[in-house]
Amino acid sequence: MASSLLTSSGIIPTTGSTVVVGSVLPLRSFMHSLRLARPYKKPALLISCCSSESRKTATNATDLKTIMERWPEYIPNKLPDKNCVRVFDTTLRDGEQAPGGSLTPPQKLEIARQLAKLRVDIMEVGFPGSSEEELETVRTIAKTVGNEVDEETGYVPVICAIARSKPRDIEAAWEAVKYAKRPRILIFTSTSDIHMKYKLKKTKEEVIEMAASSVRFAKSLGFNDIQLGCEDGGRSDKDFLCKILGESIKAGATVVNVADTVGINMPHEYGELVTYLKANTPGINDIVFSVHCHNDLGLATANSIAGIRAGARQVEVTINGIGERSGNASLEEVVMAMKCRGAYVLDGVYTKIDTREIMATSKMVQEYTGLYVQPHKPIVGANCFVHESGIHQDGILKNRSTYEILSPEDVGVVKSQNSGIVLGKLSGRHAVKDRLKELGYELDDEKLNDVFSRFRDLTKHKKRITDADIKALVTATDEISIEKLNHANGKMPNSYIPVPHVSL
């Protein structure tokens, strides 16, 4: 059992090539009922729709291999093939704008290094025009992470800084990211009628000229990777968007994005917008089209996928979906949706993200921002690979693919076949028998029936049953009381035994 325990440093030891780098979360946040690193002796019988073993029965975690491929040549306005989708991570810029989510410069640098392990194509790391400290932080990331080329694959991330359509902002962005091997600037301007009238107080013609001249100015400074972003594009006139994007491309933009800044679009609506712009914007086929969606109606991931289906080949996301108000499209959701379903229903789209770094990245961002995800958060939530229902537990014990469409190993969690089983009032006899076996107890049917009967009685008083409870049920010769079980767990009678929030 020792191999299944978390070390004091928070690193989860493994015996295979897949290494789960521990979270920086304190140990109190881990749920000890998940044995993340215990090697299972039998084939896992896990068929994951997104695993590299999806077309055959998967083997256990120790058989996972790291596939090291050469990174494709980076050309700002071109992709290696029509199905490749670039991942533009904006955790350090848009994500940091989440209320209460500010980061210190050392934290931003450490997250940037982790994003490089995740293999994001582009990381937007800040707004240099906002302050001297921010400029220096972005410059530090550009000089370090922006020049750390992976010798085995040739990978190095694009380092991007954001700027308003103002010369001062654009100059600050150049001073910050020019040291990176692959610097990029994202120049944004508002394009909706409501923003142009009340925020910019400019006409459509003035906004078009402002955007085009900003692109030209960025190019004159030395940028050859220039992205033009349309703020509130989801509420903008389609034909106006075609004009401003067309003029920006003519001025030298290599990437353009249309943002659903307020999260108002429906998936079919946003997809139709991308389709229209792709069909009616001059020069659009000579650049990369990007989508940027917010989550005010809970549709950021769905809208991003709709945009990709319509032809977008860059998607702007944040770790854990953090961001202003209700947040942004979640990197882990968008990426795993493509990995799980891309080959089947999304016309073969894919990313080059190393998904096995997702969990470690998620934990780091949670700890540093203080923005913790809810247990049922897709992909990275504590309950993603945890089962309490007896029917589900029975299926999981026989074959994990009965109720799990994702392989936990795919997102950086190494688990045994039986881990993730949480004992509670919905658990069945099969799950209790299996946990007893894991604890070293082989019981005959009569004894098992007795233990299970008392287990069911106990679940009427306790939400979750611990291993100490199970041992007490087996070894006690008299009636088990709640008080005795609480004492067995080192608690005072009738005291509450908390359930940790994070289990991975």
Side-chain angles (χ1 to χ4, degrees):
M1 297 293 290
S3 64
S4 67
L5 299 177
L6 294 171
T7 67
S8 60
S9 64
I11 297 177
I12 305 171
T14 64
T15 56
S17 59
T18 297
V19 177
V20 182
V21 178
S23 153
V24 289
L25 295 176
L27 289 179
R28 60 177 170 77
S29 64
F30 288 93
M31 185 171 0
H32 49 271
S33 62
L34 283 184
R35 288 160 176 75
L36 303 187
R38 178 181 179 181
Y40 191 56
K41 303 302 182 183
K42 302 176 183 179
L45 298 178
L46 173 62
I47 301 174
S48 165
C49 67
C50 59
S51 170
S52 61
E53 298 291 325
S54 62
R55 289 184 174 85
K56 61 183 178 180
T57 300
T59 57
N60 62 44
T62 62
D63 292 327
L64 291 176
K65 301 296 182 183
T66 301
I67 301 174
M68 303 301 290
E69 298 177 351
R70 291 298 301 174
W71 210 256
E73 179 186 3
Y74 180 74
I75 303 173
N77 62 326
K78 299 291 182 184
L79 292 161
D81 63 70
K82 65 182 181 65
N83 289 330
C84 181
V85 178
R86 283 178 180 161
V87 175
F88 178 111
D89 182 90
T90 181
T91 301
L92 296 175
R93 198 279 300 172
D94 207 338
E96 192 190 18
Q97 292 175 201
S102 62
L103 297 162
T104 65
Q107 288 173 335
K108 292 188 75 167
L109 177 58
E110 191 167 349
I111 291 174
R113 292 191 189 281
Q114 182 59 36
L115 291 173
K117 291 181 182 178
L118 188 63
R119 294 296 193 258
V120 300
D121 296 278
I122 305 104
M123 59 177 79
E124 185 183 32
V125 298
F127 179 17
S130 63
S131 69
E132 282 298 321
E133 181 185 69
E134 182 76 349
L135 189 152
E136 187 56 41
T137 300
V138 174
R139 179 187 287 143
T140 299
I141 294 173
K143 287 182 175 180
T144 54
V145 182
N147 284 282
E148 294 170 354
V149 181
D150 185 272
E151 293 181 2
E152 202 165 0
T153 65
Y155 164 83
V156 62
V158 174
I159 305 298
C160 180
I162 197 169
R164 293 167 295 186
S165 297
K166 296 183 176 182
R168 181 177 65 85
D169 279 11
I170 297 169
E171 288 173 342
W174 175 245
E175 287 304 313
V177 300
K178 67 181 180 181
Y179 302 95
K181 184 176 178 63
R182 295 173 179 169
R184 176 188 289 195
I185 186 171
L186 193 169
I187 303 168
F188 73 95
T189 188
S190 297
T191 55
S192 67
D193 288 342
I194 190 170
H195 273 226
M196 288 188 289
K197 179 178 179 180
Y198 294 105
K199 181 180 171 182
L200 298 182
K201 301 184 185 300
K202 292 183 181 295
T203 65
K204 289 182 176 181
E205 290 71 23
E206 289 173 324
V207 172
I208 290 174
E209 175 53 32
M210 183 171 64
S213 62
S214 294
V215 171
R216 287 191 292 269
F217 181 60
K219 192 173 182 179
S220 72
L221 293 177
F223 280 109
N224 60 14
D225 194 355
I226 303 169
Q227 179 170 334
L228 188 283
C230 296
E231 185 182 21
D232 206 19
R235 291 192 295 183
S236 300
D237 177 75
K238 292 180 180 179
D239 292 326
F240 174 64
L241 286 174
C242 291
K243 289 180 182 178
I244 192 170
L245 293 179
E247 289 301 314
S248 299
I249 294 168
K250 187 188 300 183
T254 54
V255 182
V256 298
N257 80 274
V258 174
D260 181 17
T261 304
V262 294
I264 197 171
N265 292 141
M266 296 289 108
H268 73 277
E269 183 181 25
Y270 192 70
E272 289 171 0
L273 174 61
V274 174
T275 298
Y276 186 88
L277 297 177
K278 291 278 290 179
N280 295 283
T281 301
I284 199 72
N285 294 324
D286 298 323
I287 54 90
V288 175
F289 193 98
S290 182
V291 291
H292 181 115
C293 300
H294 281 257
N295 204 38
D296 297 70
L297 295 177
L299 295 169
T301 294
N303 283 339
S304 297
I305 295 297
I308 291 167
R309 290 198 68 193
R313 287 299 179 265
Q314 178 178 290
V315 60
E316 301 177 22
V317 290
T318 62
I319 301 299
N320 302 329
I322 64 171
E324 296 182 13
R325 305 182 312 279
S326 299
N328 290 47
S330 163
L331 179 145
E332 58 274 11
E333 293 174 18
V334 173
V335 166
M336 292 310 290
M338 281 190 274
K339 184 169 185 179
C340 190
R341 303 290 283 160
Y344 305 101
V345 296
L346 298 175
D347 301 320
V349 294
Y350 69 94
T351 74
K352 294 186 71 63
I353 290 290
D354 184 351
T355 62
R356 291 163 301 178
E357 292 290 339
I358 283 176
M359 193 60 67
T361 312
S362 170
K363 294 295 181 58
M364 180 181 287
V365 170
Q366 289 181 64
E367 175 67 11
Y368 287 167
T369 63
L371 303 173
Y372 295 94
V373 301
Q374 68 270 35
H376 57 279
K377 169 74 169 67
I379 316 301
V380 296
N383 289 349
C384 286
F385 304 105
V386 176
H387 307 271
E388 186 172 340
S389 164
I391 294 174
H392 286 220
Q393 289 176 344
D394 182 64
I396 287 294
L397 289 169
K398 293 173 179 174
N399 187 316
R400 296 200 73 94
S401 65
T402 53
Y403 288 103
E404 289 181 359
I405 65 167
L406 306 176
S407 165
E409 291 85 1
D410 278 333
V411 296
V413 180
V414 180
K415 300 172 61 175
S416 76
Q417 170 71 354
N418 299 345
S419 64
I421 301 297
V422 176
L423 297 181
K425 71 174 184 177
L426 300 179
S427 298
R429 189 173 183 273
H430 189 183
V432 174
K433 179 181 179 180
D434 193 79
R435 180 58 59 82
L436 285 167
K437 188 174 181 180
E438 278 199 343
L439 295 174
Y441 298 104
E442 294 279 359
L443 306 182
D444 58 32
D445 288 344
E446 183 179 355
K447 180 65 173 176
L448 177 61
N449 288 338
D450 176 60
V451 169
F452 183 64
S453 175
R454 288 185 286 134
F455 165 82
R456 295 303 297 269
D457 289 338
L458 182 59
T459 62
K460 297 175 183 178
H461 303 280
K462 293 188 69 178
K463 183 174 178 61
R464 291 194 176 175
I465 309 303
T466 67
D467 286 349
D469 296 334
I470 295 296
K471 292 176 182 178
L473 288 171
V474 175
T475 59
T477 56
D478 57 353
E479 182 177 352
I480 303 297
S481 66
I482 300 301
E483 289 78 7
K484 289 181 179 179
L485 284 170
N486 280 326
H487 278 303
N489 283 286
K491 302 292 181 180
M492 292 299 294
N494 300 317
S495 65
Y496 170 68
I497 300 177
V499 179
H501 295 294
V502 180
S503 60
L504 304 172

